[in-house]
Amino acid sequence: MSKVFLIDTNFKPLNPIHPARARQLLRSKKAAVFRKFPFTLILKERLPDVEVEPLRLKIDPGAKTTGFALVNDSTGEVVFAAELQHRGFKIRDALTSRRQLRRSRRNRKTRYRAPRFNNRKRREKWISPSLQSRVDNIITWVKRLQKFAFISAISQELVRFDTQLMQNSEVSGVEYQQGTLAGYETRQYLLEKWGRKCAYCGVEHVPLQIEHIQARAKGGSNRISNLTLSCEKCNLKKGTKDVKEFLKKDPKKLEAIIKQAKKPLADAAAVNTTRFTLLATLKATGLEVETGSGGLTQFNRVQQNLDKTHWIDAACVGKSTPILKFKGVKPLLITAKGYGTRQMCGTNKYGFPTRHRSNKQIHFGFQTGDIVKAIVTKGKKIGVYIGRIATRSTGSFNVSTKAGLVQGISYKDCKVIHHKDGYAYAN
Ligand SMILES: [Zn+2]
């Protein structure tokens, strides 16, 4: 069961509680709802002290979606899980359209002027706004969760493959089985490097075996640069033959294989600027940060026979992963929405101004991004709607509910259940 966060009268996080206990506290009026997403209660009175157990926040950062899991290391219980959808391309598109608009405006009927001075300087460690927003989204949530739960450590997936582990381990015959981590990572790495097909005949979707390019019997090494993947047929055919002899009739393929084999590890290591920037930022929180490779995450997940989702992957990050227990955990689905636009003049697709926005953000006490519960008792739209609203100065709002967009809901029927915080939520 996903647990409910609980904070004491001084806003200090306590142990997350079972939903049944939360209902009990609410019924007896000993606690009140502090926040809807993630669901958090605040105590109204002091309860007898219990020791607060430390939790580990585990993060699997992705390009589109980042998984979060709060895990109790000593019991293996997953207390809370979430999947955060980033804005990524939306930011890029908005910046591109703004740039084009400004450029066309500047270039209209103006003579060329040389720039007067160069004030276009990027600060050190600059990353593009769409990437920066991913880092910022994650940090926002780390800080938010820190307010509601006692987090003592963080685990983050940093790289796809642990190249260190593969370079240093003398992989012997036994280790090619998926049983050990080194063997597992080696296999995953080779699948990626050789495009998941037989290096010799190119056949796909068949079981592939790890193959020495220069045969062991002929002095070939166990290093990763001497390994490839082949189907069983080719593997048997090649036997202990030297690769040059085996591909005598196909010098083009031979050259390609040797070239591909020599490609350095760093190429495929997917050095991801976002992840390293994130690591530096996480370390700045002062918490202990553990990092793990994607291979390790997958190894942990497969060992425990778990499904692949973003939040389960997050729970499997790092060496510290215990045997996980998460019966009934439902991830909170979070979507980054931003805080709206500051553009005062809307244009059509040709850049022609068509609409003007007032600088008033709050209409009848509501603003776009608030999550409301609307109870409509008369008219065509009778019913109860819960969702994020888009406000209009007329007082007729749009509510995006789970079932879709509902237009024309009067402000009189709405009640805010969660104030705008830059994100939309679903369970
Ligand atoms: Zn083959």
Side-chain angles (χ1 to χ4, degrees):
M1 210 67 195
S2 280
K3 292 210 162 168
V4 175
F5 292 121
L6 181 68
I7 54 178
D8 70 10
T9 45
N10 296 322
F11 305 97
K12 275 227 184 83
L14 300 172
N15 288 325
I17 50 175
H18 193 276
R21 170 92 179 116
R23 279 193 293 275
Q24 201 182 23
L25 284 175
L26 282 174
R27 227 181 294 125
S28 60
K29 303 230 158 64
K30 280 185 181 154
V33 176
F34 182 71
R35 201 189 153 91
K36 200 86 180 172
F37 304 103
F39 197 50
T40 308
L41 299 187
I42 182 165
L43 287 177
K44 287 185 182 173
E45 53 196 79
R46 245 184 85 118
L47 289 189
D49 279 339
V50 240
E51 205 195 324
V52 183
E53 288 181 52
L55 299 168
R56 178 182 285 275
L57 178 61
K58 309 185 97 179
I59 307 170
D60 173 26
K64 282 186 184 145
T65 309
T66 292
F68 288 96
L70 260 182
V71 178
N72 186 335
D73 273 343
S74 50
T75 61
E77 187 188 9
V78 179
V79 173
F80 170 80
E83 289 187 356
L84 168 61
Q85 201 106 35
H86 298 292
R87 288 175 72 208
F89 292 116
K90 280 199 192 113
I91 290 181
R92 189 200 59 187
D93 294 345
L95 289 175
T96 309
S97 102
R98 185 181 73 179
R99 188 164 56 236
Q100 284 167 342
L101 198 65
R102 286 182 174 174
R103 183 164 298 157
S104 86
R105 186 160 58 214
R106 273 198 299 272
N107 289 346
R108 242 174 277 155
K109 294 181 191 157
T110 48
R111 66 186 164 83
Y112 172 75
R113 288 188 199 149
R116 284 200 292 181
F117 54 89
N118 182 8
N119 61 356
R120 304 289 193 269
K121 204 173 165 191
R122 280 175 182 171
R123 61 183 166 74
E124 236 179 279
K125 292 179 184 163
W126 176 92
I127 59 173
S128 73
S130 58
L131 301 184
Q132 184 65 48
S133 93
R134 278 173 208 154
V135 175
D136 293 346
N137 286 165
I138 294 172
I139 295 302
T140 298
W141 276 93
V142 170
K143 289 195 173 150
R144 252 178 217 182
L145 291 173
Q146 263 186 308
K147 284 186 196 161
F148 311 132
F150 175 43
I151 295 170
S152 66
I154 297 178
S155 299
Q156 185 210 336
E157 187 179 300
L158 188 62
V159 285
R160 288 204 61 189
F161 303 104
D162 191 341
T163 48
Q164 212 70 26
L165 189 66
M166 284 190 289
Q167 285 285 33
N168 294 340
S169 74
E170 262 297 293
V171 269
S172 64
V174 189
E175 279 183 295
Y176 293 159
Q177 316 305 320
Q178 297 196 8
T180 70
L181 179 60
Y184 195 86
E185 291 226 23
T186 305
R187 201 180 160 79
Q188 290 302 318
Y189 173 83
L190 288 174
L191 281 169
E192 201 68 26
K193 180 173 176 182
W194 294 93
R196 294 173 193 273
K197 55 190 175 191
C198 172
Y200 301 121
C201 70
V203 66
E204 282 179 83
H205 309 299
V206 294
L208 294 170
Q209 303 178 339
I210 293 180
E211 230 273 320
H212 287 87
I213 297 172
Q214 307 287 346
R216 292 281 285 143
K218 301 262 159 65
S221 80
N222 261 334
R223 301 206 62 138
I224 199 97
S225 55
N226 190 37
L227 299 177
T228 184
L229 294 165
S230 80
C231 64
E232 195 180 2
K233 240 170 143 184
C234 293
N235 199 356
L236 282 174
K237 234 202 268 171
K238 182 168 175 278
T240 58
K241 262 188 240 159
D242 192 85
V243 68
K244 280 174 194 145
E245 197 190 321
F246 179 63
L247 290 172
K248 223 170 11 192
K249 287 177 194 154
D250 195 350
K252 246 190 190 163
K253 179 151 273 175
L254 177 67
E255 199 192 334
I257 287 179
I258 288 174
K259 203 173 146 202
Q260 176 72 3
K262 276 190 189 144
K263 265 200 183 162
L265 283 173
D267 261 11
V271 178
N272 189 328
T273 38
T274 324
R275 288 179 165 200
F276 280 92
T277 310
L278 177 62
L279 178 63
T281 327
L282 286 176
K283 277 186 176 159
T285 59
L287 294 174
E288 175 213 324
V289 183
E290 171 199 52
T291 61
S293 70
L296 177 61
T297 303
Q298 205 173 341
F299 179 74
N300 287 337
R301 178 161 54 72
V302 172
Q303 288 257 309
Q304 299 195 28
N305 210 356
L306 305 172
D307 296 333
K308 182 172 170 58
T309 65
H310 293 287
W311 68 271
I312 291 179
D313 260 352
C316 293
V317 167
K319 279 209 176 94
S320 64
T321 306
I323 299 294
L324 297 168
K325 284 184 228 150
F326 46 75
K327 208 177 146 215
V329 172
K330 258 177 102 186
L332 177 67
L333 305 178
I334 308 165
T335 313
K337 289 284 188 186
Y339 282 83
T341 166
R342 286 192 291 170
Q343 193 175 45
M344 297 306 284
C345 174
T347 62
N348 64 11
K349 62 177 175 176
Y350 305 109
F352 189 81
T354 55
R355 57 194 180 276
H356 287 267
R357 192 180 66 108
S358 77
N359 55 8
K360 206 176 144 196
Q361 290 217 344
I362 294 172
H363 300 290
F364 304 97
F366 298 89
Q367 63 176 324
T368 299
D370 286 344
I371 294 170
V372 302
K373 183 174 185 181
I375 304 170
V376 184
T377 48
K378 29 180 200 200
K380 281 184 193 164
K381 297 202 169 100
I382 287 179
V384 179
Y385 308 97
I386 297 174
R388 202 169 174 271
I389 51 166
T391 57
R392 301 277 176 275
S393 58
T394 56
S396 165
F397 299 160
N398 293 349
V399 185
S400 21
T401 65
K402 232 187 220 176
L405 187 73
V406 185
Q407 289 178 310
I409 300 290
S410 166
Y411 74 92
K412 287 176 190 156
D413 298 330
C414 296
K415 205 179 157 211
V416 174
I417 55 172
H418 190 93
H419 283 287
K420 171 186 193 172
D421 63 356
Y423 295 89
Y425 304 92
N427 268 104

